[in-house]
RNA sequence: GCCGGCGUAGCUCAGGGGCAGAGCGAGGCACUCGUAAUGCCUAGGCCGUGGGUUCAAAUCCCACCGCCGGCUCCA
């Protein structure tokens, strides 16, 4: 008899090879375990022990246990579907866990699942959970597995089996009359799962390949505690409330009009002033940082895009060409070639490098109709673009400075939490190994100096250079991709960019492409969701709303206050409607105006104002001077 | 682009083969009011667009457009 040694915490047992972890835990008197792990690998209690190993039992309290439970729920979902629609009519794709639950991709012959169906399915799932079927695990030879799933008509499973590499264990899991190809791990029985809810159903390509059939993906969320589940549902509600598309409409910021065209943003007056404020801030910052602002056309000759390589690599994302005097022109999908043209407009000396050209450049890209989304994904948007052209010696300094600049700007806008990703050389890269090495080193050093945590995405860079991406975390924890700092070894070659070095010879400069907001449209979307529409004072389209208790009696005083505040550069609106004061206050609140000024008899007599802050509540009375000072101070501090 | 759902008043939505509806908003009138909704009246519609079925279509069918949720895409 072959034996193996299994260490469980401090305990150690010698058991027959093939004994399951469940049996071992039982023999040690460990109760309530729902799985195990060895190193970072998760195991279930059905796992037969094949070699000496050290394991840790997993209990509900362990975060990894969620993974097992959710995985089991995806099987319970699959079983429920089979029970309802028939074992032979339901074919299973894959059913993995997600960050908050699970999904299963399925095909139900002759039926498309609706959200009403989900209620039924969920009910059946609860029944399966209720009945607490023990879950079994079985290892099969490849041939056996193929036969089993072929017999069941599970063509997708057969495809997966054929993809499994030689030598890997093929296992099936099941409960009751249900069996599924699965690597596991799973909890011991269908009753040992947490609270769950099916959320929605959507299409998903088999294997994520648009040329393959589309399956129906059923999403569910699952947590151990009901409270956590409810928190998650509340999070969805919160996200819905913060949806920038809804806020954009309510606050009259922007418009996307079918008649104008999908994915094309129209900025309404209030959105426009917000955008102007952001852009003015951006320009001022860039000038202080030594950037030179430029403007470039919205279209460019096809030849430009041919040289840049866009026509070879980016054409599917570009708007169709237009013809003028036998020449083709394209709407620009990027600003880079124009900035290169500026660089090349004269001979450059190493003495003038780094050259930093910045532009709020509006670009147009063809995005597939199904992916458009409010301000976040559009067909015309404004990049807060810049190109930095420098010598190899300057690269490191340039990157560090750029990253710090980006972080400084994002902090000014109220973001504190960042996640940085460095993407390195992919397989099909151009450029010399030395170039890549220098660039990647610069990126890493810069991030390390900044003190920000980063993740490496090995091989995740573009073919033309490595990059840093900065994602910002919003008020409810979501990450948004904004800043990017990206090397480009391609364009300097293609456009034959040069500078004259101290040796009086021509050299090829490094070029770095970077954006801080990414796109103004998208960034405004992120800002709105982050602040739930209650923008900081300095960005608010209307900073102060003035209400006269009686428009007749106090209207004139209100107008004087308005004129004086406006004179100090404060964005102010007057509401002289004949309505209840409280109704007008409510209106201002709903419009998320940071400060409401009320003037009535009392204020008229004393020459003061009654101030109400959206955040602070009623602030009582103060003089116009004090109020103005308060506002200007807050605006200056970007509060 | 693909799968599914949805397009009705400015907004949010009800109606679902037989007279086009509500609330909010807008306009008017009255109330003269002090920190989140005063009351009454009025106007407002190619029921997304085009075709079909039917005595009759907002309603049923088809196509297209757009939006929403995903997938795919995001050199």
């Amino acid at each position: 008899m072959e034996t193996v040694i299994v260490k469980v915490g401090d305990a150690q047992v010698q058991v027959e090879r093939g004994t399951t972890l469940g049996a071992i835990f039982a023999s040690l008197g460990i109760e309530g375990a729902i799985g195990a792990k060895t190193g970072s690998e998760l195991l279930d209690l059905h796992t037969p022990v094949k070699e000496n190993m050290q394991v840790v039992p997993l209990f509900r309290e362990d975060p990894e246990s969620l993974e097992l439970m959710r995985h089991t729920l995806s099987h319970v979902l699959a079983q429920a579907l089979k029970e309802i629609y028939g074992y032979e009519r339901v074919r299973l794709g894959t059913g993995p866990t997600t960050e908050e639950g699970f999904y299963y991709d399925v095909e139900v012959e002759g039926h498309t699942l609706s959200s009403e169906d989900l209620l039924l399915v969920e009910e059946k799932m609860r029944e399966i959970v209720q009945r607490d079927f023990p879950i079994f695990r079985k290892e099969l030879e490849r041939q056996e597995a193929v036969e089993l799933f072929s017999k069941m008509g599970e063509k997708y499973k057969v495809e997966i089996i054929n993809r499994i590499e030689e030598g890997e264990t093929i296992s099936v899991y099941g409960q009751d009359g249900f069996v599924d190809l699965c690597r596991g791990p799973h909890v011991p029985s269908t009753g040992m799962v947490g609270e769950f809810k099916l959320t929605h159903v959507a299409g998903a390509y088999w294997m994520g390949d648009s040329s393959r059939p589309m399956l129906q993906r059923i999403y569910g969320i699952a947590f151990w505690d009901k409270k956590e589940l409810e928190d998650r549902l509340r999070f969805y509600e919160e996200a819905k409330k913060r949806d920038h598309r809804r806020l954009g409409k309510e606050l009259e910021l922007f418009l996307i009009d079918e008649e104008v065209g999908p994915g094309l943003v129209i900025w309404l007056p209030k959105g426009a002033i917000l955008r102007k404020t952001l852009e003015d801030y951006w320009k001022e910052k860039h000038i202080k940082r030594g950037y030179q602002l430029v403007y470039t056309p919205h279209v460019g000759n096809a030849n430009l895009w041919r040289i840049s390589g866009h026509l070879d690599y980016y054409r599917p994302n570009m708007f169709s060409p237009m013809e003028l005097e036998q020449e083709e022109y394209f709407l620009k999908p990027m600003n880079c070639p124009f900035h290169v043209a500026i660089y090349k407009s004269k001979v450059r000396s190493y003495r003038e490098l780094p050259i930093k050209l910045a532009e709020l450049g509006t670009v147009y890209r063809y995005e597939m109709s199904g992916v458009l989304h409010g301000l976040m994904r559009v067909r015309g948007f404004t990049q807060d673009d810049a190109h930095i052209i420098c010598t190899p010696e300057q690269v490191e300094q340039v990157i560090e400075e750029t990253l710090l600049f980006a972080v400084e700007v994002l902090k000014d806008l109220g973001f504190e939490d960042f996640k940085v990703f460095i993407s390195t050389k992919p397989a099909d890269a151009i450029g010399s190994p030395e170039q890549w090495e220098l660039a990647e080193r610069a990126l890493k050093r810069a991030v390390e100096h900044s003190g920000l945590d980063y993740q490496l995405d090995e091989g995740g860079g573009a073919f033309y250079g490595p990059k840093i991406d900065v994602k910002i975390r919003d008020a409810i924890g979501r990450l948004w991709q904004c800043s990017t700092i990206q090397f480009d070894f391609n364009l300097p070659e293609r456009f034959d960019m040069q500078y004259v070095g101290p040796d009086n010879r021509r050299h090829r400069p490094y070029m770095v492409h970077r954006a801080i907001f990414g796109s103004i449209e998208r960034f405004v979307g992120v800002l709105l969701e982050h602040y739930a529409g209650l923008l900081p004072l300095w960005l608010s389209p209307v900073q102060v709303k003035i209400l006269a208790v009686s428009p007749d009696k106090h209207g004139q005083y209100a107008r004087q206050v308005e004129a004086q505040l406006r004179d100090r550069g404060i964005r102010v609106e007057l509401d002289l409607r004949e309505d209840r004061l409280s109704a007008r206050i409510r209106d201002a609140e709903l419009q998320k105006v940071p400060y409401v000024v009320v003037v009535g008899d009392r204020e008229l007599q004393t020459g003061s104002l009654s101030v109400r802050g959206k955040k602070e509540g009623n602030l009582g009375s103060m003089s116009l001077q004090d109020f103005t000072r308060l506002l200007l101070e807050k605006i200056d501090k970007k509060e």
Side-chain angles (χ1 to χ4, degrees), chain A residues 407-419 452 470-475 479 530-531 638:
Chain A
V407 167
E408 179 187 316
V409 168
L410 295 172
K411 282 188 172 165
D412 273 352
L413 284 145
F415 297 97
E416 292 295 332
D417 194 0
F418 310 100
K419 263 193 124 167
L452 296 165
V470 180
K471 295 189 184 187
I472 58 183
R473 193 177 295 282
D474 75 6
L479 285 176
H530 177 60
Y531 287 113
K638 302 199 165 32

Side-chain angles (χ1 to χ4, degrees), chain A residues 86 350 352 408 495:
Chain A
Y350 73 98
E352 46 182 325
E408 179 187 316
F495 283 99

Side-chain angles (χ1 to χ4, degrees), chain A residues 4 6 15-25 34-38 41-51 53 55 68 135-139 169 171-173 182-188:
Chain A
V4 289
V6 178
V15 295
E16 188 178 339
R17 192 181 138 102
T19 307
T20 64
L21 287 172
I24 294 168
F25 289 168
I34 58 161
K37 69 174 172 178
T38 173
E41 192 191 351
L42 297 180
L43 304 168
D44 58 23
L45 301 183
H46 311 99
T47 309
V49 180
K50 292 178 177 169
E51 59 203 57
M53 65 194 318
V55 300
L68 274 74
I135 290 169
F136 63 83
R137 175 182 194 276
K138 204 177 160 193
E139 293 184 7
T169 310
S171 57
V172 297
Y173 280 78
C182 187
R183 193 183 348 217
H186 283 275
V187 296

Side-chain angles (χ1 to χ4, degrees), chain A residues 492-539:
Chain A
E493 290 294 329
R494 284 180 171 268
F495 283 99
D496 191 25
M497 293 164 74
Q498 301 178 344
Y499 67 92
V500 180
D503 55 1
N504 199 30
R505 289 164 65 168
R506 306 258 162 164
H507 300 271
R508 185 78 74 217
Y510 273 72
M511 180 160 124
V512 175
H513 168 107
R514 56 105 273 196
I516 298 177
F517 297 148
S519 108
I520 302 280
E521 284 76 3
R522 185 182 154 79
F523 194 78
V524 167
V526 173
L527 273 179
L528 286 172
E529 303 223 352
H530 177 60
Y531 287 113
L534 179 51
L535 294 165
L537 185 66
W538 71 288
L539 291 173

Side-chain angles (χ1 to χ4, degrees), chain A residues 219-357:
Chain A
Y219 284 92
I221 56 176
F223 293 91
W224 284 119
D225 294 326
K226 195 169 190 101
K227 190 182 165 300
E228 279 179 280
L229 184 81
E230 282 164 356
D231 282 350
R232 177 53 49 164
L233 291 171
R234 260 194 297 278
F235 171 83
Y236 284 134
E237 288 304 310
E238 181 60 33
K240 215 166 150 188
K241 268 189 234 155
R242 289 168 177 259
D243 191 321
H244 74 281
R245 292 168 298 186
R246 170 204 179 106
L247 289 166
K249 205 178 268 180
E250 283 173 7
L251 305 181
E252 295 179 7
L253 300 173
F254 63 90
L255 182 69
I256 297 173
D257 184 347
E258 178 177 341
E259 282 185 4
V260 172
L264 302 174
V265 179
I266 292 169
W267 293 84
L268 300 171
K270 286 186 177 148
I273 194 75
L274 162 59
R275 176 169 168 171
K276 180 198 179 285
T277 308
L278 263 181
E279 291 186 351
D280 287 351
Y281 161 80
W282 185 92
K283 287 178 183 171
E284 197 186 313
K285 278 276 183 188
H286 278 71
I287 290 168
K288 279 186 188 159
R289 285 277 185 161
Y291 285 79
Q292 296 171 286
L293 301 186
V294 298
Y295 293 95
T296 68
H298 286 209
V299 294
N301 191 293
N303 202 41
L304 179 75
W305 305 110
R306 201 163 291 124
I307 297 169
S308 69
H310 285 90
L311 287 186
D312 290 332
Y313 297 100
Y314 207 69
R315 180 92 183 237
N317 293 289
M318 291 167 72
F319 275 58
S320 303
M322 47 205 132
E323 201 188 298
L324 279 165
E325 296 169 336
Q326 281 97 52
E327 295 274 333
E328 273 190 338
Y329 289 82
F330 284 87
L331 271 173
K332 65 173 167 182
M334 294 185 193
N335 303 302
C336 348
F338 299 98
H339 291 191
V340 171
I342 293 166
Y343 178 83
K344 285 182 56 174
S345 62
K346 60 181 188 180
V347 175
R348 302 291 181 173
S349 153
Y350 73 98
R351 291 176 189 278
E352 46 182 325
L353 299 184
I355 287 176
K356 302 192 272 190
L357 301 174

Side-chain angles (χ1 to χ4, degrees), chain A residues 151-223:
Chain A
K151 209 168 66 195
M152 292 194 291
E154 292 285 7
K155 56 182 178 183
Y156 300 111
K157 293 293 179 187
V158 173
E159 190 176 330
I160 298 171
I161 296 166
N162 290 328
R163 257 170 220 269
I164 296 176
E165 278 180 39
E166 210 52 58
E168 246 189 90
T169 310
I170 296 177
S171 57
V172 297
Y173 280 78
Q175 68 266 357
D176 195 20
F178 173 82
V179 61
D180 191 4
L181 175 74
C182 187
R183 193 183 348 217
H186 283 275
V187 296
S189 72
T190 59
M192 297 178 74
V193 294
E195 300 289 332
F196 67 96
K197 183 172 167 52
L198 296 183
T199 53
H200 56 291
V201 56
Y205 294 114
W206 170 237
M207 290 291 176
D209 180 347
S210 57
S211 68
R212 306 297 308 271
M214 182 160 275
L215 308 183
Q216 304 184 64
R217 176 171 297 176
I218 301 167
Y219 284 92
I221 56 176
F223 293 91

Side-chain angles (χ1 to χ4, degrees), chain A residues 99-158:
Chain A
E99 269 176 42
E100 50 188 23
F102 58 95
Y103 67 78
Y104 219 120
D105 285 350
V106 301
E107 192 174 73
V108 181
E109 210 176 297
H111 184 72
T112 45
L113 294 160
S114 66
S115 35
E116 288 87 75
D117 290 333
L118 291 194
L119 295 174
L120 243 128
V121 175
E122 203 177 289
E123 204 176 310
K124 179 59 86 175
M125 287 176 71
R126 295 198 192 288
E127 187 190 318
I128 295 166
V129 169
Q130 186 70 39
R131 293 177 65 185
D132 197 18
F133 297 116
I135 290 169
F136 63 83
R137 175 182 194 276
K138 204 177 160 193
E139 293 184 7
L140 297 179
E141 290 305 314
R142 180 178 304 263
Q143 196 47 41
E144 285 179 293
V146 169
E147 274 167 31
L148 175 68
F149 286 100
S150 299
K151 209 168 66 195
M152 292 194 291
E154 292 285 7
K155 56 182 178 183
Y156 300 111
K157 293 293 179 187
V158 173

